[in-house]
Amino acid sequence: MKRNLLSSLIVITNILFTVFLTSCGESYAPITLVSSDGKTHITNNDTIYIDAFTEGMDFSIRGGDGKYVLENQNRDIVRYEYNGEKVSLIPLKIGYGSLRITDYEKNESRFIINVKNQARIFHVNNISTEVLGGDLTQNETKVIEENIIESAIMKVSGSIEFTYTVEEMNGGNVTIYQQEGGNAVTGIFSQNESFDSESGNKILSFEISLAGYNKIKMDLIEKTENNYTYKVLRHDVTETYQSQYPKLEKATIEYILADTTDN
């Protein structure tokens, strides 16, 4: 009877020891950050990109032994708030910072923080034109359409990037690539917001100043066809051709876009 009891105690002790080792092993897992939506996992030496002029980003800390020590190594770039469950990173100014997290088991992870101006990047998938004028000949209409395409600031495969540099998020720098792999044209832009009276959709109107160009006014709108919604950058070029073609009533070019903003 004593022998059976001793054997049972040995088995229980071995089980407990195994569980203890397993739990200790888990405490040595790398310290990582997980975004509030659970979709993004940040590991040691990864970079966290935070848009300036925002409230920042929230993360949960995972791994380690659960008792964390946080060290902000660039307090002028970003500050953090930690309540024991969630760490919030709040941007202060443009630049690079670093957050170091350690625990009592000597686990350590370091995260690079890049506070940057928010940008919107669009790739041109297609181009369409519209030329209206009841008294225009077919040949005149065709010539105008060809001229519009030829003088377009972007071709198919080109792109445009709006980088916001003011807290109001209504102006900044613009970079345009006429086509993929081509040289960039840079300038500045201002932005206004309105709404389409018929559809109720938001319209973002951009006034763009580029070196070597007159001011360009464009509207960013959404279109829906066959349950598919896409963005279009519309440029009214009527004034450009109306002096040469007095019968022209309206001429526009639309850049059909894909939103390729990195988020």
Side-chain angles (χ1 to χ4, degrees):
M1 185 72 175
K2 289 182 179 180
R3 184 176 297 173
N4 290 337
L5 180 60
L6 180 59
S7 298
S8 298
L9 287 173
I10 292 172
V11 170
I12 293 172
T13 301
N14 287 336
I15 292 172
L16 291 174
F17 182 70
T18 301
V19 171
F20 174 77
L21 286 178
T22 302
S23 63
C24 285
E26 290 178 350
S27 74
Y28 287 92
I31 297 174
T32 62
L33 296 177
V34 180
S35 60
S36 55
D37 60 8
K39 295 180 179 179
T40 304
H41 293 254
I42 312 295
T43 60
N44 183 39
N45 289 324
D46 279 352
T47 298
I48 302 170
Y49 295 94
I50 303 178
D51 289 331
F53 314 124
T54 65
E55 296 180 356
M57 302 176 69
D58 297 332
F59 296 92
S60 298
I61 306 177
R62 303 283 174 83
D65 65 4
K67 299 175 182 178
Y68 306 113
V69 177
L70 282 69
E71 180 185 355
N72 183 1
Q73 298 177 319
N74 301 86
R75 297 181 182 181
D76 60 328
I77 300 297
V78 66
R79 69 179 176 88
Y80 77 84
E81 296 175 357
Y82 179 55
N83 62 8
E85 296 181 358
K86 178 183 70 175
V87 59
S88 300
L89 300 177
I90 300 99
L92 299 178
K93 71 175 186 179
I94 303 297
Y96 284 88
S98 177
L99 179 67
R100 180 172 171 262
I101 303 179
T102 58
D103 65 12
Y104 291 95
E105 296 287 350
K106 297 184 179 180
N107 294 301
E108 176 181 334
S109 284
R110 178 175 174 268
F111 307 97
I112 308 301
I113 301 169
N114 181 4
V115 179
K116 61 183 181 62
N117 286 317
Q118 183 174 336
R120 301 188 70 181
I121 305 171
F122 300 100
H123 178 85
V124 180
N125 279 346
N126 207 345
I127 292 175
S128 67
T129 59
E130 182 180 41
V131 175
L132 300 177
D135 293 328
L136 288 171
T137 66
Q138 288 186 348
N139 185 62
E140 287 175 328
T141 300
K142 181 181 178 182
V143 169
I144 295 171
E145 290 175 342
E146 290 174 347
N147 288 339
I148 292 173
I149 294 294
E150 180 65 27
S151 60
I153 62 170
M154 292 183 290
K155 310 296 185 184
V156 174
S157 83
S159 62
I160 185 167
E161 177 177 341
F162 299 100
T163 302
Y164 296 88
T165 59
V166 294
E167 188 171 358
E168 294 76 15
M169 301 293 286
N170 61 4
N173 301 320
V174 61
T175 302
I176 296 175
Y177 290 91
Q178 187 177 54
Q179 55 192 11
E180 188 175 8
N183 295 326
V185 178
T186 60
I188 59 175
F189 76 92
S190 60
Q191 172 188 299
N192 292 304
E193 183 177 309
S194 60
F195 291 88
D196 188 311
S197 58
E198 295 183 2
S199 66
N201 291 337
K202 182 169 66 175
I203 300 173
L204 292 182
S205 298
F206 298 94
E207 187 171 278
I208 300 172
S209 297
L210 301 171
Y213 289 84
N214 294 326
K215 283 189 176 180
I216 300 170
K217 295 182 179 180
M218 292 182 162
D219 293 331
L220 182 66
I221 61 175
E222 283 192 349
K223 284 189 170 184
T224 301
E225 294 181 5
N226 299 323
N227 295 321
Y228 174 68
T229 300
Y230 57 95
K231 289 182 173 61
V232 167
L233 199 57
R234 177 184 293 162
H235 183 195
D236 189 322
V237 293
T238 306
E239 291 183 3
T240 303
Y241 300 96
Q242 208 162 34
S243 59
Q244 185 177 355
Y245 300 94
K247 298 176 183 178
L248 174 66
E249 297 172 9
K250 187 176 182 181
T252 58
I253 180 171
E254 289 188 346
Y255 302 94
I256 301 166
L257 307 173
D259 191 339
T260 56
T261 304
D262 295 326
N263 286 318

